[in-house]
Amino acid sequence: MNLANTRSRGANLADDPRGDGNADSLTPAVSVRDLRKSYKRRDGEEVLAVDSVTLDVAPGEFVVLLGPSGCGKSTLLRCIAGLEQPHSGTINLHGHTSYSSQRRLDDPPEKRNLGMMFQSYALWPHMTVFDNVAYPLRARKAAKNDVSARVERVLEMIGIPELGRQYPGQMSGGQQQRVALARALVSNEGLILFDEPLSNVDAKVREQLRLELVLMQRDIGFAAIYVTHDQIEAMELADRIAVMQNGKVAQCGTPREIYETPSNQYVGRFVGSTNELNGRVTELTGDDLVRVDTQAGSVLATRGSQDVTTGAEVSVMARPEKCRFETSPSASVNAWEGTIAQTMFLGTHVEHLVKLADSDVTFLVRQSEDNIDAPRVGDRTFVSAAPEHLRALSS
């Protein structure tokens, strides 16, 4: 795929999503305000699937909605697409109000100026690539000459102009993904929604397709909202991640912010591996540090949020790669004696499970694979973590 020549054309596509020359690069591609959507179960219980969500997506930005099944991420995406009707709030797309409960406005999907890629790609098997990509334009009664010109342009932009006469069954998964993306782009919307499009392929292919997708998005310049439960996928693709919990956005930030400074226990546990010590805050020590009495003794940690105050029940979390082995406890403020219970070689790194002495706590310590001083199974050792790498979080 030749991406070198797509940047200038992609910038035009993203900056002018409607093709009328009036796009404002400062206007969000998506602006959601106080959106709510609920369902009723058979027993009459109301379930709030989207709970007062507010979210902006800038032109050319890739935002990932991340969370487990049932957290509301797909419902939010479908509300933006017009496939579900919210109960209240507003949705603005490219500066145009597509949904407003107050104004009783609800544009149908075909008038929302966006493209969408589904989990299965949803390509028509009996249609050629050209006809699959042309389908949205023909459904809108576009002129025949305009259809041909736009389909050929987008196939060239995506890097598959030679596949126009092929059928989906004659192509690889990566090629099918490009066809689905071309169909989503052909209407010049500048915004594409992705509903877990890589969940049906194996891990190795998924890794390659993620790389291709992020390169195409960066070079073409469209805004994207992508739904997934896969934290690695979210980290690789996103400019920002919105972690969803029970219909709400628990935290929205860059991948680094979400990983290194989670706002609560839920985010810390869901994104990446973590070690936890549960306890009660006994002291606020200044410099945004707190002392916590845990099942493994007293520890000094960074205060994760303003509601972490004296007497609060918290979880003290540490990422495995931030933990270190030491020869004695005097070398660190936070150090725990333990025994190496298991060692696992994972190619790029080695992980050690450490059973802490006099407790039922097990710590995971991650080291580079070439560490020649790594302890062995059965060795007695000390595990330490600096206060800036321990984060005290409330629920």
Side-chain angles (χ1 to χ4, degrees), residues 274-278 293-299 316-318 320 323-326 329 334-342 352-365 375 378-385 390:
T274 189
N275 297 303
E276 287 189 56
L277 294 172
N278 298 318
D293 186 16
T294 75
Q295 71 268 50
S298 179
V299 301
V316 178
M317 296 188 174
C323 297
R324 298 288 182 265
F325 289 120
E326 309 230 3
N334 301 311
W336 307 274
E337 186 178 4
T339 303
I340 305 297
Q342 182 66 38
H352 307 275
L353 289 178
V354 184
K355 176 70 168 59
L356 300 191
D358 302 322
S359 75
D360 59 357
V361 177
T362 300
F363 257 45
L364 181 66
V365 180
D379 285 354
R380 301 286 288 181
T381 187
F382 288 91
V383 178
S384 71
L390 286 172

Side-chain angles (χ1 to χ4, degrees), residues 37-57:
K37 167 68 177 177
S38 62
Y39 297 100
K40 279 193 175 180
R41 292 177 175 164
R42 290 184 179 180
D43 60 5
E45 180 186 1
E46 186 174 13
V47 177
L48 198 54
V50 177
D51 186 0
S52 304
V53 168
T54 292
L55 180 69
D56 285 339
V57 179

Side-chain angles (χ1 to χ4, degrees), residues 94-144:
H94 310 299
H96 170 77
T97 302
S98 293
Y99 171 80
S100 171
S101 56
Q102 187 174 13
R103 295 168 54 186
R104 297 184 179 179
L105 174 66
D106 187 18
D107 285 346
E110 64 271 17
K111 292 186 177 181
R112 295 217 173 189
N113 299 293
L114 54 82
M116 191 160 183
M117 277 185 69
F118 297 93
Q119 195 173 80
S120 64
Y121 300 151
L123 300 177
W124 297 102
H126 64 288
M127 290 184 182
T128 64
V129 166
F130 185 97
D131 290 334
N132 265 285
V133 175
Y135 186 84
L137 299 176
R138 289 171 176 165
R140 298 178 189 182
K141 311 280 189 208
K144 185 175 181 180

Side-chain angles (χ1 to χ4, degrees), residues 18 32 128-129 186 225-226 232 250 286 296 322 355 361 364 377:
R18 300 190 184 203
V32 175
T128 64
V129 166
V186 74
I225 303 179
Y226 189 105
I232 295 176
K322 299 299 185 182
K355 176 70 168 59
V361 177
L364 181 66
V377 173

Side-chain angles (χ1 to χ4, degrees), residues 32-36 50-55 76 90 244 247-249:
V32 175
R33 290 291 178 273
D34 201 27
L35 200 71
R36 295 168 62 89
V50 177
D51 186 0
S52 304
V53 168
T54 292
L55 180 69
L76 174 57
T90 60
M244 297 201 64
K248 294 180 178 290
V249 176

Side-chain angles (χ1 to χ4, degrees), residues 231 243 245 258-259 262-278 314-317 319 393-395:
Q231 56 186 270
V243 182
Q245 177 185 17
I258 296 294
Y259 185 80
S263 61
N264 58 30
Q265 294 173 18
Y266 172 84
V267 176
R269 289 168 180 165
F270 190 79
V271 180
S273 301
T274 189
N275 297 303
E276 287 189 56
L277 294 172
N278 298 318
V314 297
S315 284
V316 178
M317 296 188 174
R319 298 299 185 187
L393 298 171
S394 59
S395 58

